[in-house]
Amino acid sequence: MLVVAFPSPTIGGSYRWLEDVMAALPERGLRCVVAAPDFPDYPAATFLSRFPAAEGIVLEAPTATPAGRQGAVERLLLRLRPDIVVPHLLADVYGGLCRARRAGAPTRLLYAAHEISPAILADVLDHAVCLDAAVAVSRGLERIIVDVAGLAAERVWRVPYGVPSPSRPRAAQEGGPLRIGYAGRLDPDKRAEDLVPICHGLAAGLVDYRLEIVGEGSCESLLRAALAAEASAGRVSFSGARSREWLYERGYPRWDCLLRASATEGFPIAITEAMVNGCVPVVSDFEGRAVEGVLRHLETAVVFPVGDARRAVDELRSLSLDRGLLTRLSLATRAEAEGYTQPRMLQGWSTALHGALSRPARPACGSCPGPGPGGRLDAWLPAGAAEAVRRVLGRQRAPMPWPFTYHGGDAVADRLRLRVEALLRGAESAPTQDC
């Protein structure tokens, strides 16, 4: 199994999944390799050191063009000839795989679906004829892959994230302030800025609360400025990015609830971690929540409409006033999380990988889109000749040359967004293989 990944310093989310899987699958007899391009501000060697049980390879591209990047992936696949390649937030892996297959590489392509992203899904659709298998972390993503991407149900597996058991019991308390935690990226796609009106609403409603914000991102400076008064009063604190071990020791056991406000999610690992620790999720009604069926309002979670800070404040006030409700939800959410263990996740991935290998690989095709122009030389010379000239001239890669997607904010992604939203509002799908 070869994973070609964007080298991000991110600790949580899908990178936590990648660390867990790469640490455990070699123990199950699977050779695992992680490859990553070298970025000036985050060297590949630093990123690869996070996967000591897997072989690490620095992916070298001599030019900054799409053809150069995809050529680097092609050469890697022809050299290693892995059974399965899994792209992780690197769009050029798809084109590189198509090129390698035409040159004789036997590699299967597996899409690991972690988030509901129409832009990333558009890249997958560009190369759907080459897609051999997929693993989805949630029922919503599972349905998207079958109904939108068109992959046959027998080639799709649902493997939810698995998390460790609690390291120590949650410290419940009868009274005092409501202890709220936020763990995750502080970015617009997570609607982290919604923390501001929620905190202001809690203060205006005289709710005694303490919010600890764990994470970092582009919204951090905005949050620190907008919540300066609350921080000075001791109601809000910022703890920066923290490890899972810190969250299990000093976060979830000390929080009554975990607050998340996203509009879309695959299925957040932080929510699963909070649940297994008995920390009650207070979450927005993000796309995919209802389909998954795990976070049920006033049964295993507290749910408020996306962007509705007033409703979020009302729900948090109810938890603050009714500690019996908080205790009941804490017990229920812990019981619900028993199906999201690490051993179950790892067995699911082992089953999916062996299942993908048991089916014939898709044949090489010539219908997938090419890499596109990389500059003025492509207008004057054939594609191969243009790349050869760039290599001779020593045109090196740009600071951030490997994109997440080729469809960021374009019309294709917008159309897919409408299809995905319609599907998650109630479309049915054929059952797939639940690991």
Side-chain angles (χ1 to χ4, degrees):
M1 175 181 177
L2 167 65
V3 177
V4 187
F6 187 97
S8 170
T10 300
I11 296 174
S14 60
Y15 285 94
R16 181 167 291 161
W17 156 83
L18 185 57
E19 290 174 350
D20 289 344
V21 168
M22 290 296 102
L25 287 183
E27 299 175 357
R28 296 172 178 262
L30 294 166
R31 180 194 173 199
C32 295
V33 180
V34 180
D38 201 17
F39 289 173
D41 57 347
Y42 190 58
T46 302
F47 175 70
L48 296 172
S49 68
R50 295 162 58 176
F51 312 100
E55 179 184 352
I57 295 177
V58 178
L59 190 56
E60 295 287 351
T63 69
T65 65
R69 298 190 299 264
Q70 293 178 22
V73 173
E74 176 190 10
R75 290 189 294 274
L76 177 68
L77 294 175
L78 289 173
R79 177 164 64 89
L80 296 182
R81 302 179 75 82
D83 295 312
I84 292 178
V85 62
V86 181
H88 188 63
L89 302 178
L90 277 181
D92 286 303
V93 179
Y94 297 104
L97 180 279
C98 293
R99 292 171 53 159
R101 274 191 177 167
R102 290 194 289 271
T107 304
R108 291 165 173 80
L109 173 63
L110 187 149
Y111 169 45
H114 296 281
E115 58 186 13
I116 299 173
S117 168
I120 292 175
L121 182 61
D123 290 313
V124 176
L125 286 175
D126 281 345
H127 301 88
V129 294
C130 292
L131 188 62
D132 294 283
V135 174
V137 301
S138 69
R139 294 189 189 280
L141 283 164
E142 174 188 60
R143 293 184 180 185
I144 290 168
I145 293 168
V146 174
D147 291 356
V148 179
L151 189 61
E154 63 269 16
R155 290 179 177 264
V156 182
W157 287 262
R158 184 176 73 92
V159 185
Y161 290 132
V163 300
S165 299
S167 55
R168 63 188 181 93
R170 192 177 72 85
Q173 63 179 23
E174 292 299 323
L178 182 68
R179 302 167 301 174
I180 308 168
Y182 177 97
R185 289 188 287 111
L186 303 178
D187 288 332
D189 67 308
K190 299 298 182 183
R191 294 190 65 96
E193 66 273 18
D194 285 7
L195 294 177
V196 175
I198 291 174
C199 288
H200 289 168
L202 289 170
L206 302 180
V207 177
D208 190 10
Y209 78 97
R210 301 292 184 271
L211 170 64
E212 184 170 17
I213 299 174
V214 178
E216 58 187 16
S218 60
C219 294
E220 183 174 354
S221 58
L222 179 153
L223 291 172
R224 286 183 178 273
L227 297 175
E230 284 76 5
S232 297
R235 290 189 291 266
V236 174
S237 61
F238 292 83
S239 295
R242 295 289 184 172
S243 66
R244 169 186 278 164
E245 291 71 26
W246 187 95
L247 286 166
Y248 267 63
E249 286 292 327
R250 300 186 57 188
Y252 304 126
R254 295 190 296 111
W255 298 339
D256 297 310
C257 54
L258 178 78
L259 178 60
R260 294 291 290 260
S262 304
T264 62
E265 291 281 1
F267 195 79
I269 292 178
I271 290 180
T272 311
E273 291 175 345
M275 291 175 69
V276 79
N277 280 277
C279 180
V280 177
V282 179
V283 300
S284 55
D285 189 12
F286 57 83
E287 290 180 2
R289 180 202 64 84
V291 174
E292 189 66 20
V294 173
L295 300 170
R296 303 182 299 276
H297 184 53
L298 297 185
E299 293 184 23
T300 58
V302 174
V303 183
F304 59 92
V306 174
D308 192 338
R310 180 177 298 179
R311 178 70 176 276
V313 169
D314 290 343
E315 299 292 355
L316 290 166
R317 180 187 294 110
S318 296
L319 291 180
S320 178
L321 295 174
D322 189 348
R323 297 307 170 99
L325 172 63
L326 185 64
T327 298
R328 178 174 64 80
L329 288 173
S330 175
L331 294 173
T333 200
R334 182 178 294 168
E336 187 75 21
E338 290 179 357
Y340 292 81
T341 62
Q342 279 189 328
R344 183 172 178 176
M345 176 185 72
L346 297 171
Q347 182 56 50
W349 265 94
S350 179
T351 299
L353 291 169
H354 285 102
L357 289 173
S358 70
R359 290 170 172 79
R362 294 288 181 90
C365 78
S367 61
C368 293
R376 287 175 294 180
L377 285 176
D378 294 284
W380 303 332
L381 300 171
E387 280 298 295
V389 171
R390 289 188 183 100
R391 287 194 293 271
V392 170
L393 294 177
R395 297 286 178 85
Q396 297 301 309
R397 56 189 179 275
M400 294 288 281
W402 294 73
F404 284 88
T405 173
Y406 280 106
H407 290 279
D410 66 8
V412 175
D414 289 341
R415 287 195 296 271
L416 280 174
R417 181 175 292 105
L418 295 176
R419 291 185 63 189
V420 167
E421 289 174 355
L423 176 68
L424 294 179
R425 280 195 298 266
E428 295 297 327
S429 175
T432 57
Q433 297 156 91
D434 194 356
C435 296

